[in-house]
C-alpha cells in the first residue's frame, strides 16, 4: 500500500540500523578503519617515504592492543551506563564525577582499613544512591536531566576534592589491585571464550528452530550464520591477542559480564522494554500503565552503578586515584562520545550497551593511535570532535528519514 | 433495562453500553449537557457533530479519561461506574486515541504487547519485570491479532512502526485496543489524516470489529465514511443530543442538517429518538 519510493542511501542506512546486528556495523567499520589506518597505512606510508627503516607494527601489536583494551575499559564502563539513560532520551553529565567520588571514597576506605571487597560494595552502593538521587530530581521534580546532572557534575567534583584534599591518593589494597592485575590463565581464557561462543551459537540456532516450529517468520539464514561467525572470530581473536601479550585480565571479563547482563536486561525483559518505550513515546508508555517516574529513577541509578564500577576499575588499573583522571579530565566527554559513536541515539529509544563498548574502543584507539604517531593533544581533541560530530550527524540523518514521511 | 427504549427498531440487538444524562463541564464551559448514548454489540455507532460539539469529551468520559459530573452508566443492563481508565479497561472498554501513541522505535509485536509482555515460564525467582520476555509467544499473539483484523498489507510483525504507513499504524493501534479482551472499541477520527486507500483499509478493519461482535463507537467528520461503515448515527450539538438515526434510513443531508442546525421536530420518520 505504500507508494513506490526511491530507496535512497539514507533509507538503506536507516533500515540497516534497525536490525539488531546491523546497528553494530557502522561502529565496527569505524573501528576497522581506525585500526587499518594506524596499524597498516600509516606504518606503510612511513616505510615508503623513508621516515622509518622498517614496517612499524606497533599499533596492532598484542601489547598495544592489550593496553588499548585496558585504557578503554573505564570509558566503556561509563559509556555502558550512559547508554541506559540515553535510551530514555535523557543525559547524564555527572557520570565521570560520580566515578571520581566513588574511586576517591574507595581509596579512603581501604586506607582506613576496610577490607577491599567490602569497600567495593560500599562504593557501588554509594554510586547507585548518587545516580538515583539525580533521577529523583528529574522524575519527580521535573527538572531537565541536563540541568540536574550538570549540577551533579559540579557538586560531585567538589565532593571529590573534599574527599581527596591533595587531589591524589595511592591505592595499594591487594583486592582492589587484583581486579586489573589478575590474569585468567591462557588455556582457561580460551576455554571461556569457546564456551561463550558455543552458547551464543546454540541459542541463536535454537531460536531459529523454535521459530520454525511455531510457524513464525524466519531470520535470513545467511545473516544468522554471518552473525555467529563474526561473533566467534571477534571473540576468539581478541582472547588470542590478549594471550599473546599477557592473558585475559579479570577486569575485562568483569566488564563484559556486566555489559552482557545489562544487554540482557535492556533487550529481553519487560523492564528493558519499558526503557525503550519511554524513550520512544513516553505518552504511549504512560497509557499502557508503565510507571514512568520509577523507570527514570532506576535508569539514573544504573548510571551510578556503572560509574562506581568504572571508578573501581580505574583505581585498580592505575593503583591510584587522582582528580584529573576522573572528575576533572576528559573522561565524561569520552564516555558520552563512546555511547553516541556506538550508535545510541541522543533522541532516545534506540541503542545498545554493546555498541557503547565498541564506541569506547573507537575513542580509545583514536587516542592511542594519535599518541603513537606523535600527534599533539590538540590534534587529538580535534579529531575526536570530528568523529563525534560525524556519529551524531549519522544519528540525526537516520532519524530524520524515519520521521519524514 | 430491556424496555423499548434500548432497542433499535426491530433489527438491532439490545444495547451493550448505555449512558444517560452525562454532564461534563470544564470550568465555566459545559461540554456535555444531559447527553445520552448507547451502543450494541455487533454494531458500529457513529458519533458526529460539529467541532467542539463534545464528541471527544463524551468518548473520554466513556474511557474513564475524564470523569463525568453527573450521569449513569450501564453495561449489559447493570449499573457500573467509570471513574478511571482502569475502570474502563476492566469493563472491556478501549479507546483508540486520535494521536495513536505507538512507539515508533519498537516493532509491531512489541507495540501490541506493550505493558503486558508475555514472559517465559520458569523464571519465577525473578521479579516479573526482570523475567525474560517470551518473544515467540509475543509474535504469535501479534500475528493472530493482525490476522483477526485482516491487515493484509502488513508483511511482518517484526517491522518497526516507524516504517509503516498511516493506515497500517491506525490498524495497529486498533489491534492493540482490541487485543486486550475488549467488548467496546472507540475510535476518535481514525481516518482524519489518511488518504483514500489508507482510509479504505481502516474502514475494513472497523467492519471486522463489528463482525467479531464488538461494540464500535466511531467518531468522524466524513459523511461518506460514516454511511459506509455505521449502523446508527448519534448527532451531538453543543454538548446535547440532537437525534439518533438508523443509517440505512437517513441521508447525509439530513445528518449534516442536524449537526449544523439541530432538527425540525416534525421531520421524517427516520429519527429514532429525538429530544
Ligand atoms: N480538557 C479540556 N479543558 C477545557 N475545555 C475542553 C477540554 N476538552 C474539551 N474542551 C472543550 O469542550 C468542548 C467540546 O470539545 P470536544 O469534545 O473536543 O469536541 P469535539 O471532539 O466534538 O470536536 C469544546 O468547546 C472544547 O474546547
Ligand atoms: Mg475531537
Amino acid at each position: 500500500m505504500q507508494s513506490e519510493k526511491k530507496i535512497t542511501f539514507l533509507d538503506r542506512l536507516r533500515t540497516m540500523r534497525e536490525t539488531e546486528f546491523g546497528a553494530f556495523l557502522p561502529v565496527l567499520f569505524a573501528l576497522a578503519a581506525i585500526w587499518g589506518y594506524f596499524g597498516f597505512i600509516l606504518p606503510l606510508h612511513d616505510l615508503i617515504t623513508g621516515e622509518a627503516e622498517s614496517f612499524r607494527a606497533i599499533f596492532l601489536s598484542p601489547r598495544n592492543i592489550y593496553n588499548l583494551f585496558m585504557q578503554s575499559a573505564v570509558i566503556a564502563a561509563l559509556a555502558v551506563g550512559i547508554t541506559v539513560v540515553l535510551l530514555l532520551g535523557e543525559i547524564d553529565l555527572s557520570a565521570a564525577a560520580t566515578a571520581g567520588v566513588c574511586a576517591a571514597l574507595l581509596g579512603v576506605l581501604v586506607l582506613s582499613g576496610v577490607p577491599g571487597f567490602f569497600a567495593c560494595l560500599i562504593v557501588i552502593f554509594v554510586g547507585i544512591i548518587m545516580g538515583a538521587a539525580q533521577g529523583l530530581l528529574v522524575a519527580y521534580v521535573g527538572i531537565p536531566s541536563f540541568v540536574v546532572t550538570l549540577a551533579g557534575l559540579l557538586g560531585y567534583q567538589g565532593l571529590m576534592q573534599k574527599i581527596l584534599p591533595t587531589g591524589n591518593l595511592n591505592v595499594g589494597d591487594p583486592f582492589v589491585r587484583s581486579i586489573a592485575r589478575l590474569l585468567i590463565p591462557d588455556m582457561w581464557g580460551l576455554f571461556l571464550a569457546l564456551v561463550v561462543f558455543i552458547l551464543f551459537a546454540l541459542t541463536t540456532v535454537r531460536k531459529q528452530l523454535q521459530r520454525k516450529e511455531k510457524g513464525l517468520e524466519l531470520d535470513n539464514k545467511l545473516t544468522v550464520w554471518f552473525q555467529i561467525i563474526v561473533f566467534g572470530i571477534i571473540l576468539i581473536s581478541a582472547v588470542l591477542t590478549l594471550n599473546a601479550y599477557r592473558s585475559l585480565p579479570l577486569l575485562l571479563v568483569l566488564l563484559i559480564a556486566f555489559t552482557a547482563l545489562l544487554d540482557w536486561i535492556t533487550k529481553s525483559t519487560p523492564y528493558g522494554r519499558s526503557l525503550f518505550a519511554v524513550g520512544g513515546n513516553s505518552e504511549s508508555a504512560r497509557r499502557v500503565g508503565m510507571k514512568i517516574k520509577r523507570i527514570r529513577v532506576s535508569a539514573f541509578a544504573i548510571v551510578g552503578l556503572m560509574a562506581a564500577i568504572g571508578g573501581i576499575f580505574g583505581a585498580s588499573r592505575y593503583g591510584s586515584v587522582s582528580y584529573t583522571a576522573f572528575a576533572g579530565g576528559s573522561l565524561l566527554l569520552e564516555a558520552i562520545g563512546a555511547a553516541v559513536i556506538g550508535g545510541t541515539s541522543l533522541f532516545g529509544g534506540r541503542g545498545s550497551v554493546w555498541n557503547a563498548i565498541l564506541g569506547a574502543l573507537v575513542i580509545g584507539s583514536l587516542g592511542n593511535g594519535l599518541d603513537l604517531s606523535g600527534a599533539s593533544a590538540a590534534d587529538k581533541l580535534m579529531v575526536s570532535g570530528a568523529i563525534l560530530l560525524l556519529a551524531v550527524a549519522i544519528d540525526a540523518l537516520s532519524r530524520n528519514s524515519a520521521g519524514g514521511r | 433495562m430491556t424496555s423499548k427504549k434500548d432497542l433499535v427498531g426491530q433489527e438491532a440487538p439490545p444495547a451493550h453500553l448505555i449512558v444517560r444524562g452525562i454532564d461534563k463541564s470544564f470550568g465555566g464551559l459545559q461540554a456535555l449537557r444531559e447527553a445520552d448514548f448507547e451502543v450494541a454489540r455487533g454494531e458500529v455507532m457513529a458519533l458526529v457533530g460539529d467541532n467542539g460539539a463534545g464528541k471527544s469529551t463524551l468518548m473520554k468520559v466513556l474511557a474513564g479519561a475524564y470523569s463525568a459530573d453527573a450521569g449513569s452508566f450501564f453495561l449489559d443492563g447493570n449499573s457500573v461506574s467509570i471513574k478511571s481508565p482502569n475502570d474502563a479497561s476492566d469493563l472491556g472498554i478501549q479507546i483508540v486515541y486520535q494521536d495513536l501513541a505507538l512507539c515508533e522505535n519498537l516493532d509491531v509485536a512489541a507495540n501490541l504487547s506493550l505493558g503486558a509482555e508475555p514472559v517465559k515460564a520458569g523464571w519465577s525467582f525473578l521479579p516479573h519485570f526482570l523475567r525474560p520476555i517470551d518473544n515467540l509467544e509475543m509474535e504469535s499473539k501479534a500475528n493472530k491479532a493482525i490476522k483477526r483484523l485482516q491487515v493484509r498489507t502488513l508483511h511482518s510483525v517484526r517491522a518497526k512502526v516507524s516504517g509503516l504507513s498511516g493506515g497500517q499504524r491506525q490498524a495497529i493501534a486498533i489491534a492493540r485496543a482490541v487485543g486486550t479482551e475488549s467488548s467496546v472499541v472507540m475510535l476518535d477520527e481514525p481516518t482524519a489524516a489518511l488518504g483514500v486507500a489508507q482510509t479504505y483499509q481502516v474502514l475494513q478493519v472497523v467492519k471486522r470489529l463489528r463482525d467479531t461482535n464488538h461494540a464500535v463507537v466511531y467518531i468522524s467528520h466524513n459523511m461518506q465514511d460514516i454511511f459506509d461503515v455505521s449502523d446508527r448515527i448519534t448527532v451531538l450539538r453543543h454538548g446535547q443530543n440532537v437525534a439518533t438515526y438508523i443509517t440505512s434510513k437517513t441521508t447525509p443531508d439530513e445528518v449534516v442538517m442536524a449537526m449544523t442546525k439541530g432538527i425540525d421536530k416534525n421531520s421524517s420518520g427516520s429519527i429514532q429518538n429525538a429530544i
Side-chain angles (χ1 to χ4, degrees), chain B residues 51-52 54-57 60 98 188-189 219 221:
Chain B
N51 272 333
K55 306 180 297 288
S56 296
T57 305
K60 285 177 186 165
Q98 233 162 339
D188 195 350
E189 309 209 17
I219 294 185
H221 271 121

Side-chain angles (χ1 to χ4, degrees), chain B:
Chain B
M1 295 298 295
T2 40
S3 69
K4 262 246 168 74
K5 211 180 169 204
D6 303 328
L7 299 172
V8 185
Q10 266 96 41
E11 65 262 58
H16 174 59
L17 175 69
I18 301 175
V19 293
R20 296 277 175 248
I22 302 286
D23 286 337
K24 175 72 192 172
S25 37
F26 299 102
L29 186 132
Q30 190 148 22
L32 291 175
R33 215 171 295 188
E34 295 269 303
D36 296 341
F37 185 74
E38 64 179 47
V39 58
R41 272 176 175 265
E43 84 162 338
V44 177
M45 172 65 99
L47 185 56
V48 302
D50 219 340
N51 272 333
K55 306 180 297 288
S56 296
T57 305
L58 177 57
M59 191 175 271
K60 285 177 186 165
V61 165
L62 296 180
Y66 295 156
S67 64
D69 303 333
S72 39
F73 300 76
F74 302 93
L75 197 72
D76 287 330
N78 304 314
S79 176
V80 293
S81 87
I82 301 178
K83 294 236 150 47
S84 73
N86 280 342
D87 290 347
S89 59
D90 287 348
L91 294 170
I93 301 172
Q94 292 289 339
I95 184 165
V96 180
Y97 286 93
Q98 233 162 339
D99 59 335
L100 305 173
L102 297 171
C103 288
E104 302 210 346
N105 57 327
L106 296 176
D107 64 18
V108 171
N111 267 287
L112 287 177
S113 293
L114 203 65
E117 291 85 4
V119 292
K120 288 183 188 157
W123 292 75
S124 47
F125 58 93
L126 287 172
H128 184 272
F129 67 96
L130 285 181
R131 291 183 204 165
I133 294 176
D134 190 343
N135 279 309
L136 303 180
E137 171 66 21
M138 197 168 82
E139 276 179 45
S140 307
K141 263 171 64 179
N143 275 327
K144 266 184 225 142
I146 296 297
K147 201 178 267 166
R148 206 163 43 224
L149 294 179
Q150 300 182 346
V151 192
R152 288 205 190 80
T153 55
L154 188 76
H155 297 300
S156 163
V157 294
R158 290 202 283 168
K160 291 256 153 61
V161 169
S162 60
L164 301 188
S165 69
Q168 288 171 327
R169 288 176 195 213
Q170 191 73 53
I172 304 303
I174 295 172
R176 179 158 86 185
V178 177
T180 50
E181 297 287 300
S182 59
S183 57
V184 181
V185 180
M186 306 190 285
L187 303 135
D188 195 350
E189 309 209 17
T191 58
L194 302 182
V196 177
Q198 310 271 346
T199 297
Y200 173 79
Q201 191 186 356
V202 171
L203 293 183
Q204 290 306 107
V205 171
V206 172
K207 288 177 187 167
R208 288 287 304 162
L209 286 177
R210 169 176 54 203
D211 296 345
T212 48
N213 206 29
H214 286 86
V216 186
V217 183
Y218 183 88
I219 294 185
S220 178
H221 271 121
N222 186 323
M223 281 301 143
Q224 206 183 334
D225 293 359
I226 288 167
F227 275 79
D228 180 3
V229 82
S230 75
D231 300 294
R232 285 193 290 164
I233 304 171
T234 294
V235 182
L236 282 185
R237 186 162 176 264
H238 302 322
Q240 284 179 301
N241 291 80
V242 176
T244 300
Y245 297 93
I246 292 168
T247 309
S248 57
K249 294 184 184 163
T250 185
T251 61
D253 282 346
E254 193 178 20
V255 173
V256 170
M257 194 67 88
M259 276 167 57
T260 51
K261 300 212 176 92
I263 51 160
D264 180 0
K265 293 274 154 120
N266 42 20
S267 71
S268 71
S270 64
I271 299 172
Q272 193 204 349
N273 47 29
I275 295 167

